[in-house]
Amino acid sequence: MSESGGWQPAELAELAGWVEAASGSSMRNVLDFDRTGRIDLDWGPISLHLAGRAVFFLWVTLALLAISGIAVLVSRKRELITRWTTWALIVPVVGLPIWSGRGATAALAAVLAVLAVLEYARLARLARIDVALLLVLAIAYPLLAWLAPDLLELAPLAALLCALPPVLSGDVEGGIRRAAFTAFGSIWICWSLAHLVVLWDDAFLVCFAAAATDVAAWCGGRGLRRFGWARRPLSPLSPNKTVGGLVGAVVGAVLVLTLLGTVTPGLVVAVALGGVLGDLLESMVKRQAGVKDAGAWLPGFGGLLDRVDSLLLILPLAAVLS
């Protein structure tokens, strides 16, 4: 400061630089904290020593499950309690195979694809030979993603070959419909879920972000419904999917990906927009089948397709955009 009591330009520039550096450092400290963890367990014959980013994801998952579990219990809403219980069971079913390696992740993707194909086949009313073809692809694509990922590029050719059964049987009346639904299912379900293996290093992260963003979309749809623009449906296929829900999804994707230290524009688009469009795409399939849910065996959600519909677009989009 000068003797006259005023700040000189050079001093002001120095002060501004110091403030910018301090604020930038504070922001980096918030966003760039250590996202690794460690587990050291020696309990009799059990010896478990793990370290790295996966351990951090585990602690974040368990913490959010605990916090949400308390909130659900306080709400005393039966539906929310059922959904939370299902989520608590899903986490180890998905997380442990991904932790175990690419081979176990390929097995997980194949099991999910087989179950999803069986639900899809009922919705699309496919013939047995078409279902059998999809089941073969449900197992083949995850195995290829594990052992020969370059062969996944043949997916468009495999989709075209899905027309062979109706062509060889001379199905004039329903052949086009069968070929279209089988080809679509081969890409939408079998090929998409194989990207759990393609994205193996970040597969749990993407699944976690997809689930958290789905909750954020629900919160956005409920919390912003006081505004007219937020209540506007994104598509007649599902009046519950609104502009407010899309805003919530985008905000939620940014927040959760920032927390996990992997926020990028491409990944935000994949998780937020892919999740919302994935829900709408399944709604279209269910609407043509005239059903509300793809199944009834998954408490609180319906069927497997009702739970993984967002992932069916998020996984391939994340592989391309991230």
Side-chain angles (χ1 to χ4, degrees):
M1 183 178 293
S2 66
E3 294 181 358
S4 60
W7 290 95
Q8 297 299 312
E11 293 173 325
L12 288 173
E14 183 180 356
L15 177 62
W18 180 85
V19 171
E20 181 179 359
S23 61
S25 176
S26 299
M27 182 61 68
R28 285 192 296 272
N29 289 337
V30 172
L31 298 181
D32 296 338
F33 63 89
D34 185 17
R35 290 179 176 84
T36 60
R38 186 173 186 85
I39 296 178
D40 292 298
L41 177 63
D42 290 296
W43 189 15
I46 301 176
S47 180
L48 182 64
H49 299 278
L50 297 172
R53 193 172 58 160
V55 178
F56 169 75
F57 293 156
L58 170 64
W59 293 130
V60 170
T61 303
L62 294 179
L64 290 181
L65 274 176
I67 294 171
S68 60
I70 294 172
V72 165
L73 287 176
V74 171
S75 73
R76 296 184 180 180
K77 292 185 178 180
R78 186 180 184 87
E79 180 183 359
L80 292 180
I81 293 174
T82 301
R83 282 175 171 256
W84 184 90
T85 303
T86 301
W87 266 121
L89 295 174
I90 287 175
V91 167
V93 170
V94 173
L96 290 177
I98 293 175
W99 265 27
S100 300
R102 289 183 183 273
T105 304
L108 170 68
V111 170
L112 293 177
V114 165
L115 294 174
V117 160
L118 293 176
E119 292 183 354
Y120 173 73
R122 288 194 296 270
L123 296 177
R125 299 184 293 277
L126 294 178
R128 289 185 179 180
I129 183 64
D130 302 322
V131 178
L133 179 56
L134 282 181
L135 290 175
V136 170
L137 293 176
I139 297 172
Y141 277 136
L143 289 178
L144 290 176
W146 175 32
L147 301 173
D150 289 344
L151 293 181
L152 289 179
E153 296 177 3
L154 297 177
L157 177 60
L160 290 176
L161 292 177
C162 288
L164 277 179
V167 167
L168 296 179
S169 65
D171 187 353
V172 176
E173 294 183 358
I176 292 295
R177 179 188 177 279
R178 286 173 53 196
F181 271 97
T182 307
F184 174 70
S186 73
I187 299 294
W188 183 46
I189 297 174
C190 309
W191 178 79
S192 292
L193 283 173
H195 284 76
L196 278 172
V197 187
V198 175
L199 292 168
W200 175 67
D201 287 335
D202 294 313
F204 186 80
L205 179 151
V206 172
C207 292
F208 178 87
T213 300
D214 186 42
V215 175
W218 181 83
C219 293
R222 300 274 294 184
L224 297 175
R225 60 184 176 180
R226 71 184 72 176
F227 304 107
W229 59 266
R231 294 195 300 270
R232 186 175 304 165
L234 293 171
S235 168
L237 292 170
S238 180
N240 292 327
K241 300 294 185 298
T242 62
V243 175
L246 177 60
V247 171
V250 173
V251 173
V254 171
L255 291 177
V256 72
L257 291 173
T258 300
L259 170 66
L260 299 177
T262 56
V263 61
T264 64
L267 203 50
V268 169
V269 170
V271 172
L273 299 186
V276 173
L277 292 177
D279 285 342
L280 289 173
L281 188 54
E282 198 220 357
S283 294
M284 183 172 65
V285 174
K286 291 189 294 186
R287 280 293 184 95
Q288 70 82 33
V291 299
K292 180 179 181 295
D293 295 316
W297 65 276
L298 202 57
F301 293 101
L304 182 68
L305 269 178
D306 300 310
R307 182 57 269 159
V308 303
D309 54 0
S310 58
L311 278 178
L312 297 180
L313 275 187
I314 288 175
L315 288 171
L317 280 175
V320 173
L321 299 178
S322 62

